[in-house]
């Protein structure tokens, strides 16, 4: 819906429902599944912090997959989005990412790395009207992102991570939240232009609803998003 043409997923393992979903998208040509049985060859860390999770390699080889994806995409993709599966890089002034990047590239022609700030939508806080509490999704595992409209304002006094949109031919090596070796310049995209919608456990635990921001940007896509999700769930037998 945002103009992404291909999603690359590095698959270590998954359950049968998710596997059927991936295969369906793979047949459409939208998802590329890269087998990633790293747990068969070494003991990967199951968390990002080595001191807490140990292991032979960081977080299922996350850094390796990010760099492999950049090189895999170097000759076929104009931009690569480096973000997690529960994060949406969302333009706030355009309707799709192509229009966003066309505008940014025209303004900043020497930039090869665009930094997008992460914003958390606590998954335990629900939009009170229940407008998008859809009964047909009650038995579907996962999170209904349309129900979560409360957004935390990051504490700007501490380190706050970004994810990235990069031109792959201008990048030699990346980390998770920053590019390590690249050509050209990098640019931090303003929050009113683009930010990450990240529905997850709250980072700021003690905030009241009055201290959070109401952000209903996802609702702008609901007329297309809901029928598309229903169609896929029916195809997979997850919806009556």
């Amino acid at each position: 819906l945002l103009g992404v043409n291909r999603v690359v997923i590095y698959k270590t393992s998954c359950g049968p429902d998710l596997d059927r979903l991936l295969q369906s998208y793979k047949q459409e040509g939208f998802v590329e599944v890269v087998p990633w049985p790293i747990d068969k060859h070494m003991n990967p860390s199951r968390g990002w912090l080595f001191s807490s999770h140990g292991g032979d390699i960081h977080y299922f080889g996350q850094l390796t997959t990010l760099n492999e994806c950049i090189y895999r995409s170097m000759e076929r993709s104009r931009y690569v989005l480096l973000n997690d599966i529960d994060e949406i890089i969302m333009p706030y002034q355009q309707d799709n990412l192509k229009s966003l990047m066309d505008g940014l590239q025209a303004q900043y022609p020497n930039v090869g790395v665009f930094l997008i700030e992460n914003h958390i939508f606590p998954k335990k806080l629900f939009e009170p009207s229940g407008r998008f509490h859809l009964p047909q999704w009650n038995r579907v595992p996962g999170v209904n992102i349309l129900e979560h409209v409360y957004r935390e304002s990051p504490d700007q006094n501490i380190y706050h991570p970004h994810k990235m949109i990069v031109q792959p031919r201008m990048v030699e090596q990346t980390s998770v939240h920053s590019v390590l070796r690249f050509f050209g310049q990098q640019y931090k995209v303003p929050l009113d232009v683009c930010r990450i919608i990240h529905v997850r456990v709250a980072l700021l635990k003690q905030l009241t609803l009055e201290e959070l921001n109401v952000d209903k940007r996802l609702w702008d896509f609901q007329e297309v998003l809901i029928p598309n999700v229903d169609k896929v769930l029916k195809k997979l037998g997850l919806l009556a």
Side-chain angles (χ1 to χ4, degrees), residues 141-188:
V143 175
N144 178 356
I145 55 177
L146 294 170
E147 292 190 276
H148 303 283
V149 299
Y150 294 106
R151 171 170 51 81
E152 294 181 357
S153 291
D155 184 350
Q156 300 295 348
N157 296 314
I158 62 174
Y159 171 73
H160 189 64
H162 294 73
K163 292 298 175 69
M164 296 162 289
I165 302 176
V166 304
Q167 293 196 66
R169 288 171 293 283
M170 296 179 72
V171 174
E172 285 189 2
Q173 184 182 9
T174 190
S175 184
V176 179
H177 300 294
S178 62
V179 173
L180 303 179
R181 298 172 65 185
F182 61 99
F183 308 100
Q185 302 170 358
Q186 61 180 1
Y187 175 68
K188 186 182 293 187

Side-chain angles (χ1 to χ4, degrees), residues 99-113:
S99 297
L100 169 73
M101 297 313 300
D102 285 347
L104 288 173
Q105 207 70 74
Q107 286 181 276
Y108 308 101
N110 298 319
V111 170
V113 178

Side-chain angles (χ1 to χ4, degrees), residues 21-237:
L21 178 68
L22 292 177
Q23 292 304 318
S24 175
Y25 283 129
K26 184 178 176 181
Q27 289 171 7
E28 293 176 9
F30 180 61
V31 166
E32 180 176 353
V33 178
V34 180
W36 194 248
I38 194 166
D39 56 331
K40 302 294 189 296
H41 305 283
M42 57 179 66
N43 175 33
S45 171
R46 295 178 179 271
W48 66 272
L49 186 61
F50 177 75
S51 60
S52 299
H53 300 97
D56 300 325
I57 189 171
H58 170 261
Y59 212 5
F60 288 96
Q62 180 185 28
L63 294 175
T64 305
T65 63
L66 292 172
N67 283 280
E68 203 277 347
C69 188
I70 287 175
Y71 281 90
R72 173 181 294 264
S73 307
M74 200 163 279
E75 296 300 326
R76 67 184 187 188
S77 299
R78 187 176 174 193
Y79 298 104
V80 174
L81 285 65
L82 301 175
N83 61 285
D84 292 346
I85 202 165
D86 62 346
E87 298 170 339
I88 302 170
I89 295 181
M90 176 63 75
Y92 274 69
Q93 295 181 4
Q94 293 90 1
D95 290 333
N96 59 76
L97 288 161
K98 183 180 184 303
S99 297
L100 169 73
M101 297 313 300
D102 285 347
L104 288 173
Q105 207 70 74
Q107 286 181 276
Y108 308 101
N110 298 319
V111 170
V113 178
F114 295 88
L115 300 171
I116 315 296
E117 190 168 293
N118 186 29
H119 282 242
I120 291 169
F121 291 62
K123 67 178 184 179
K124 289 190 176 181
L125 298 176
F126 293 82
E127 192 275 323
S129 77
R131 174 181 175 185
F132 291 108
H133 182 74
L134 304 174
Q136 72 266 32
W137 292 358
N138 281 344
R139 296 187 178 182
V140 179
V143 175
N144 178 356
I145 55 177
L146 294 170
E147 292 190 276
H148 303 283
V149 299
Y150 294 106
R151 171 170 51 81
E152 294 181 357
S153 291
D155 184 350
Q156 300 295 348
N157 296 314
I158 62 174
Y159 171 73
H160 189 64
H162 294 73
K163 292 298 175 69
M164 296 162 289
I165 302 176
V166 304
Q167 293 196 66
R169 288 171 293 283
M170 296 179 72
V171 174
E172 285 189 2
Q173 184 182 9
T174 190
S175 184
V176 179
H177 300 294
S178 62
V179 173
L180 303 179
R181 298 172 65 185
F182 61 99
F183 308 100
Q185 302 170 358
Q186 61 180 1
Y187 175 68
K188 186 182 293 187
V189 180
L191 300 180
D192 63 332
V193 176
C194 183
R195 71 178 86 209
I196 291 176
I197 295 177
H198 189 183
V199 180
R200 50 152 285 173
V201 174
L203 187 64
L204 307 174
K205 306 292 185 185
Q206 305 302 322
L207 293 182
T208 65
L209 290 184
E210 289 71 27
E211 294 175 292
L212 294 161
N213 306 284
V214 175
D215 185 334
K216 298 179 179 178
R217 174 61 169 146
L218 285 170
W219 289 13
D220 294 337
F221 299 89
Q222 54 95 7
E223 290 186 0
V224 184
L225 177 63
I226 294 172
N228 277 359
V229 172
D230 284 347
K231 179 181 176 182
V232 172
L233 292 176
K234 286 178 182 177
K235 182 178 178 181
L236 298 176

